Amino acid sequence: MTPSRPAEPILHVDMDAFYASVEALRDPALAGRPVLVGGLGGRGVVASASYEARVYGIHSAMPMARALRLCPQAVVVSPDFAAYQDVSQRLRELFLSVTPLVEPLSLDEAFLDVGGSERLFGPPEVIGALLRDRIRGELGLPASVGVAPNKHLAKLCSGKAKPEGLLHLRAGEVAAFLGRLPIRDLWGVGEQTAARLERFGLRTVADVAGTAGPTLVRIVGHAAAAQLASLAVGEDRRPVVPYEPAKGMSTEETFDRDVDDPAVLRRELLRLAETIARRLRRGEVAARTLTLKIRYANFATVTRSRTLALPTDHATELHAESAALLDALRLERVRVRLLGLGVANLVPAGAARQLRLLDDDRWQQVERAADVARNRFGDAAVTRAALLDDG
DNA sequence: TCTGGGGTCCTCATCCTT
DNA sequence: TCTGAAGGATGAGGACCC
């Protein structure tokens, strides 16, 4: 006999003001105060704001300078991603103690399918409350939980439950719950899409649900229309997928001041290539496609990409290829605000090495030796001469 | 107001092959 | 040999998410 599945087996667990909460845990003097985690430089933005800071209208992605004008007494803390990663790992272990079906969405939130955990831990809403209490008890942090028939609804519920609440949406309550929500609550509807929908008089989820398919396609295109139509009536067939290999990786840097010196740009590109190459090797993958990203002083952004004949995880090669893309732009002292480098089309490193058997490059050996030294003595142990400060 | 960093996915155009 | 259609790969840009 097949055991029956509960009608609302999906949990979405979302930490409240995650980075700010972790910082308050590390420094109890911050507890109860407006805390902003984010870049301290002139161009930084807020990555996380405590609830005490949100009272002033501050939200994440807001320029730090503006946030401080709204709340001058706020404490600004520089983000420490290693610490957040550490907490995230412990959070994950906690999730895995109730179900193997855990799909992390980011450091601070995850979907859990607890459809098979009922006999051990009780119904989903009981498991949700148990997790929230254990996160508070064992990690000292606040979390909110959504319990619903599918992922999209569970995520909406955790959002409505904040801070530190739990919302259980029963299958029979979906239509009434969704109908009143603004379109911005639908997954995939950001500022642009919302504006487009509003031009056609669509303001609520119920409006979208009542719109004919062909009309939606005309407004937002095929893929988005199909997704919107399903989500608006509470349908979401996506399963909880425990592990998905990364499809790409990237790193970018916004300069404190715009840069117009080609030599500086090339040197920064080498630094980015080093970072990406090390992450590729750590992940035991190699990349075939690389993308150079430039943001000019006026915020206009261009990308240029190139697909290589053979996948690589070598900084020297990534740098040479991306520098060629940079040269092809003929910037001629144009002021650059941001430089980025990304890779995609990832393949397992073993397969990449087989493809490159005849390609015995000494730099490969040098970079691997550098990895060994960095792993043993720290990141600062090995640096290219070209990246050392001149002064 | 003045916009970070790391990702994913979609659309559209172009080129190449069949 | 030429032509056109179809489809895949690639490149660029944009929207969205946390």
Side-chain angles (χ1 to χ4, degrees):
Chain A
M1 200 175 83
T2 320
S4 68
R5 255 171 88 76
E8 297 96 28
I10 308 298
L11 305 188
H12 180 252
V13 184
D14 196 357
M15 304 299 286
D16 300 331
F18 183 53
Y19 301 165
S21 299
V22 173
E23 294 300 340
L25 192 66
R26 299 205 304 170
D27 178 2
L30 298 178
R33 297 180 63 187
V35 176
L36 306 177
V37 180
L40 296 163
R43 291 175 161 174
V45 299
V46 176
S48 173
S50 68
Y51 281 84
E52 290 81 2
R54 293 182 194 199
V55 170
Y56 294 86
I58 296 169
H59 55 80
S60 56
M62 176 182 277
M64 188 61 83
R66 190 175 163 217
L68 284 171
R69 278 198 297 276
L70 290 169
C71 179
Q73 70 273 31
V75 184
V76 180
V77 183
S78 203
D80 178 353
F81 289 102
Y84 311 147
Q85 215 125 32
D86 189 46
V87 176
S88 181
Q89 182 56 37
R90 290 164 61 202
L91 192 59
R92 201 152 162 216
E93 285 160 12
L94 227 157
F95 294 155
L96 288 169
S97 70
V98 297
T99 174
L101 296 177
V102 176
E103 178 182 336
L105 267 184
S106 63
L107 283 182
D108 74 316
E109 58 179 312
F111 289 114
L112 287 74
D113 185 334
V114 296
S117 309
E118 196 164 15
R119 275 182 56 191
L120 273 175
F121 299 100
E125 65 274 21
V126 171
I127 299 176
L130 170 81
L131 282 174
R132 186 193 50 182
D133 295 347
R134 283 184 63 189
I135 292 168
R136 169 57 81 181
E138 295 173 30
L139 303 182
L141 293 167
S144 298
V145 181
V147 185
N150 60 49
K151 284 162 72 167
H152 179 241
L153 293 171
K155 185 156 167 54
L156 282 175
C157 287
S158 68
K160 301 293 170 198
K162 283 178 176 293
E164 212 165 7
L166 181 147
L167 181 58
H168 176 198
L169 181 67
R170 288 171 181 81
E173 304 165 341
V174 173
F177 171 78
L178 275 177
R180 291 186 300 271
L181 299 180
I183 42 175
R184 274 304 295 264
D185 280 1
L186 289 174
W187 178 271
V189 177
E191 199 179 341
Q192 303 291 327
T193 308
R196 223 173 298 158
L197 290 167
E198 278 169 17
R199 276 202 291 279
F200 286 79
L202 308 181
R203 293 191 172 77
T204 66
V205 174
D207 292 338
V208 174
T211 300
T215 308
L216 270 186
V217 170
R218 272 205 305 282
I219 301 173
V220 296
H222 273 99
Q227 176 177 300
L228 280 188
S230 297
L231 297 183
V233 294
E235 277 174 15
D236 180 7
R237 296 178 185 280
R238 295 171 302 166
V240 171
V241 182
Y243 172 72
E244 284 268 312
K247 300 199 165 102
M249 48 182 78
S250 65
T251 183
E252 58 189 52
E253 190 195 352
T254 298
F255 303 119
D256 286 340
R257 290 204 187 130
D258 298 337
V259 171
D260 64 359
D261 182 346
V264 174
L265 291 177
R266 282 183 81 103
R267 197 170 63 194
E268 285 307 312
L269 207 47
L270 177 56
R271 200 188 301 276
L272 299 177
E274 286 268 13
T275 302
I276 289 283
R278 281 167 57 197
R279 283 171 57 190
L280 284 168
R281 292 193 292 270
R282 203 177 302 151
E284 298 186 355
V285 287
R288 270 195 71 206
T289 303
L290 72 145
T291 302
L292 173 76
K293 176 173 169 182
I294 304 258
R295 178 166 288 152
Y296 300 115
N298 67 359
F299 220 71
T301 308
V302 295
T303 61
R304 291 291 182 270
S305 58
R306 173 176 289 188
T307 297
L308 311 174
L310 294 172
T312 185
D313 59 3
H314 307 140
T316 310
E317 195 171 359
L318 290 171
H319 180 240
E321 296 289 345
S322 54
L325 292 174
L326 181 66
D327 290 345
L329 283 171
R330 303 187 176 282
L331 294 182
E332 314 278 351
R333 312 299 291 191
V334 173
R335 288 191 301 134
V336 171
R337 173 190 182 93
L338 171 150
L339 192 63
L341 184 62
V343 290
N345 259 331
L346 305 186
V347 299
R353 267 196 291 279
Q354 289 218 321
L355 288 169
R356 303 191 71 120
L357 264 185
L358 301 174
D359 189 13
D360 178 34
D361 180 351
R362 294 227 151 172
W363 271 112
Q364 298 176 28
Q365 295 166 32
V366 171
E367 288 184 24
R368 288 186 194 288
D371 284 347
V372 171
R374 287 191 188 106
N375 289 342
R376 199 156 160 204
F377 302 110
D379 283 356
V382 183
T383 303
R384 284 176 191 254
L387 292 179
L388 291 171
D389 285 337
D390 301 330

